[in-house]
Amino acid sequence: MTIHPSSAAIAEYAAGGRGLDEAAVWSVEIHLEACEQCRARLADRAAGDTLVLLDRVAAALDREIAAGPAPVQRARRWAAPRRRWLVVALAPWATMTVAVLLCASVLTRLLPDLPSLVLLLAPVAPLPAVAAAWSRRLDPAGELISSTPVAGLTMLLRRTLGVLAVIVPVLALIGAGTGTSLALMLLPCLAFTAGTLAFGALIGVPRAAAGLGALWTLAVVVPTLITEDLPVVLRPGSAAVWALATAVLAGAAVRRADDFRRLTSHY
């Protein structure tokens, strides 16, 4: 049962609350928030100049609202999923990667004696965009998002899948056009992506992406271009090894999921 403030308390509160202590003022305000009857009593007790002021404020607000922009339309149902999966900050990196792959495809056709440049670049193709997906320096809203409950491995996986949804079809089309094995292009691509997430939990996703990219370039790409001989890791028999590496690294990333929720993580 709610106890309503007395008429004297309402009158004192309407006059400015000078005759009430802080506890009484607080009690009246809390009660007024939930009691329409007492709010009506308060309105009856308001001084004439207070009512005039309220009328002036209401009239000014009505004019501002009428002169202001139209109300924003309610967001469509697909707007929230679109914002979760499509990150504008990743668009330049994904576009750059697609452009590099297309250039590599053209060079492969022009230089048929060299090993496929697309095959050499496919494992590290997603890494720049994946690094941008979990970097406060490259994401304008990075610090804000990292402090929300949705931050963590789930958000990183959504962004990574968004990157792969752009790059994997491009690799598949190029592979089909050049006759390159799809398994040898897509499995190393997925393995390096999973490795970036797994090592990213320890040293940060941007550092992991940069380290794996540099290691692949120095250990595989450069020697291959010098010797003009396809390395063992990209020959047909290596597909099963890449599939196993992808599974192991993906499991390691999932096991380290809590590291992506810490404020001290390398974000």
Side-chain angles (χ1 to χ4, degrees):
M1 181 175 179
T2 303
I3 301 176
H4 299 280
S6 64
S7 298
I10 292 291
E12 288 289 345
Y13 185 82
R18 297 182 181 86
L20 301 174
D21 56 27
E22 294 180 357
V25 171
W26 177 80
S27 177
V28 171
E29 290 179 345
I30 293 297
H31 181 81
L32 289 173
E33 289 180 359
C35 183
E36 183 179 358
Q37 178 182 352
C38 288
R39 289 198 297 269
R41 293 169 56 197
L42 177 63
D44 294 337
R45 294 281 185 173
D49 54 348
T50 302
L51 295 176
V52 172
L53 177 60
L54 292 175
D55 290 339
R56 289 172 56 192
V57 171
L61 288 176
D62 289 340
R63 288 194 301 269
E64 292 293 333
I65 293 174
V72 178
Q73 295 182 355
R74 187 176 181 180
R76 298 179 180 178
R77 293 182 179 179
W78 53 269
R82 176 175 58 82
R83 295 190 186 100
R84 292 176 182 175
W85 290 90
L86 302 178
V87 184
V88 177
L90 302 183
W93 300 93
T95 303
M96 177 196 68
T97 301
V98 171
V100 170
L101 291 175
L102 293 177
C103 291
S105 176
V106 173
L107 290 175
T108 299
R109 291 178 178 274
L110 295 177
L111 303 172
D113 295 334
L114 288 177
S116 173
L117 295 178
V118 179
L119 189 61
L120 290 174
L121 295 178
V124 295
L127 299 192
V130 173
W134 195 249
S135 172
R136 63 166 57 96
R137 294 182 180 87
L138 301 177
D139 187 355
E143 293 186 358
L144 178 62
I145 293 175
S146 64
S147 63
T148 63
V150 300
L153 183 60
T154 302
M155 185 186 74
L156 178 57
L157 287 177
R158 280 202 301 262
R159 293 184 170 189
T160 301
L161 289 176
V163 172
L164 294 177
V166 175
I167 295 175
V168 168
V170 174
L171 289 175
L173 290 175
I174 294 175
T178 58
T180 308
S181 171
L182 294 180
L184 288 179
M185 287 207 306
L186 300 183
L187 288 176
C189 173
L190 297 177
F192 268 78
T193 302
T196 300
L197 302 183
F199 291 111
L202 301 175
I203 62 175
V205 174
R207 291 190 181 92
L212 291 176
L215 179 63
W216 178 259
T217 301
L218 295 176
V220 177
V221 176
V222 173
T224 299
L225 294 178
I226 293 175
T227 62
E228 299 185 3
D229 186 23
L230 195 66
V232 177
V233 294
L234 291 178
R235 291 178 182 174
S238 63
V241 178
W242 285 114
L244 179 61
T246 300
V248 172
L249 292 170
V254 172
R255 290 192 61 183
R256 306 289 302 186
D258 291 340
D259 291 347
F260 291 100
R261 291 185 175 275
R262 299 174 183 173
L263 294 177
T264 56
S265 63
H266 301 275
Y267 179 57

